[in-house]
Amino acid sequence: PRMRAALWVAFLANLTAYPLTNGLLPYIARTIYGTNQTGLGYLSASFAIGSLAGSILLSLVHGIRVARLMIASTVLWYATLLLFVQMQTVPTAIVCLVIAGFSQSLAMISIAVILMRTSSENFRGRVMGVRMMAIYSLPLGLLAAGPLIGVIGFRATATLYAITGIL
């Protein structure tokens, strides 16, 4: 059950969170914030900087209950994305993306730790292979986002994705 839960969280994150911070970020930069390639670079880098900070912090801390951390950081990630899509300026969006990257790192590392701790040594490669297959939900999330943005708009689509992730 622990492995199944971690895999479902990974599937859900690839389906609903990563499209907002990866695939749709150029659209967000140009259409929502009216910025150019430089602004897109700042937005993208802010998510990466937050992720790096989360990874460094997690490597320094020991004795954490990873299942609780996975749940809490995933909820924080989606809550931050919910705020991100409501922001009106690039600087406030950057702050949201730093926090989103930070919490994303904590969530994804926690998933890997749960999977490694739960599986027996001879199945770890297979389990991580199945974990890698969760990324196939990313194209599904991106494909669904296009028509949804056309029908209900970007903010409504992104809010729907974030609320789905929180639920």
Side-chain angles (χ1 to χ4, degrees), residues 53 58 81 91 97 106 117 144-145 157:
L58 198 55
L81 289 177
L97 284 175
L106 298 180
R117 284 185 182 170
T157 300

Side-chain angles (χ1 to χ4, degrees), residues 17-25 28 43-44 47 77 81 84 97 100:
Y18 281 118
L20 299 176
T21 56
N22 291 343
L24 294 175
L25 205 54
I28 295 167
L43 291 169
S44 184
F47 187 79
W77 183 13
L81 289 177
F84 165 68
L97 284 175

